[in-house]
Amino acid sequence: EAGVTQFPSHSVIEKGQTVTLRCDPISGHDNLYWYRRVMGKEIKFLLHFVKESKQDESGMPNNRFLAERTGGTYSTLKVQPAELEDSGVYFCASSQDWVDTQYFGPGTRLTVL
Amino acid sequence: DQQVKQNSPSLSVQEGRISILNCDYTNSMFDYFLWYKKYPAEGPTFLISISSIKDKNEDGRFTVFLNKSAKHLSLHIVPSQPGDSAVYFCAASGGSNYKLTFGKGTLLTVNP
């Protein structure tokens, strides 16, 4: 069974540009989470989808971040416009039910110059 | 305000000995605790978990102990192997709050 996949693995962009990160959860997992780790800090929750609905987006830093999960399958996280402090590793995780173990993808390393 | 703290950034042990990784938390609403292991350029991999109704959970070489009164948990790895070298993250969730709150991680190095 394929695990959680994320694309791209790395992205380097200029401040002010737009970047879209993609996450494909484990097949059949209704719950999808986004987390972010800024260098030297802990991994922090961004938001949680149940199928296509946003269950909790309390961790989203500001309105420059937009997450979608159309059709309840893959999810995208768009940062527009990107700022220097958005640099970090963005992880996606999925679980079958919300009480189940969350399985993480390899992450996307975003560098904003 | 960091609700999950791993005060040791790194730990070095000899192969075959015990590794003890520690984690403290401040939020009394946390009732489920997990340990994840992370290798470079990979995502965190689930290792072991414990519910607040227990004080110990064991899985092979890995044992997690929970002391609720002290708001402290620890991960014991016995015996330690070089392949265990990785960053270990402590994480917690609480009540109907499914989102994980992580510590900063502890880099474990197991020397042959």
Side-chain angles (χ1 to χ4, degrees):
Chain A
E1 180 184 283
V4 177
T5 57
Q6 293 186 245
F7 182 83
S9 56
H10 292 87
S11 181
V12 181
I13 61 173
E14 302 270 335
K15 175 183 170 181
Q17 289 185 322
T18 298
V19 63
T20 300
L21 314 180
R22 173 171 169 145
C23 168
D24 286 79
I26 293 172
S27 178
H29 281 195
D30 287 338
N31 293 268
L32 187 148
Y33 311 80
W34 283 98
Y35 291 85
R36 177 175 74 170
R37 188 184 190 198
V38 172
M39 188 180 297
K41 305 268 188 175
E42 64 272 25
I43 300 170
K44 283 197 171 181
F45 168 84
L46 296 178
L47 88 159
H48 171 213
F49 283 101
V50 177
K51 297 185 180 178
E52 67 275 9
S53 299
K54 289 177 187 173
Q55 191 73 14
D56 180 354
E57 50 184 331
S58 62
M60 294 287 263
N62 50 61
N63 59 11
R64 295 185 294 103
F65 288 75
L66 175 64
E68 293 179 324
R69 192 182 182 196
T70 307
T73 54
Y74 71 91
S75 174
T76 58
L77 180 64
K78 182 192 287 188
V79 185
Q80 179 182 32
E83 298 289 344
L84 299 178
E85 63 264 25
D86 300 333
S87 295
V89 181
Y90 289 76
F91 293 105
C92 175
S94 72
S95 66
Q96 193 155 20
D97 287 313
W98 67 268
V99 294
D100 289 338
T101 299
Q102 294 179 29
Y103 296 91
F104 281 76
T108 293
R109 180 173 294 279
L110 174 64
T111 302
V112 183
L113 302 176
Chain B
D1 177 34
Q2 213 179 332
Q3 300 183 66
V4 176
K5 298 178 184 178
Q6 294 178 255
N7 292 319
S8 298
S10 63
L11 174 68
S12 182
V13 299
Q14 286 300 120
E15 181 178 6
R17 307 293 288 267
I18 184 171
S19 295
I20 301 176
L21 297 101
N22 293 302
C23 177
D24 297 292
Y25 62 96
T26 57
N27 190 336
S28 300
M29 296 300 293
F30 289 149
D31 59 7
Y32 191 64
F33 304 90
L34 309 90
W35 286 93
Y36 281 82
K37 179 170 75 173
K38 185 183 179 306
Y39 293 117
E42 294 184 10
T45 302
F46 170 73
L47 196 57
I48 192 169
S49 62
I50 187 167
S51 164
S52 60
I53 62 173
K54 294 186 173 183
D55 55 19
K56 176 183 174 182
N57 189 27
E58 197 171 349
D59 184 1
R61 297 186 295 114
F62 303 91
T63 303
V64 56
F65 296 91
L66 176 63
N67 182 334
K68 289 188 292 293
S69 60
K71 292 191 175 68
H72 176 84
L73 63 155
S74 61
L75 174 68
H76 293 212
I77 306 174
V78 182
S80 301
Q81 299 173 354
D84 295 329
S85 298
V87 177
Y88 287 77
F89 290 98
C90 173
S93 66
S96 61
N97 190 342
Y98 38 76
K99 59 189 178 188
L100 297 178
T101 301
F102 284 86
K104 287 188 177 182
T106 297
L107 174 62
L108 172 66
T109 303
V110 180
N111 301 300

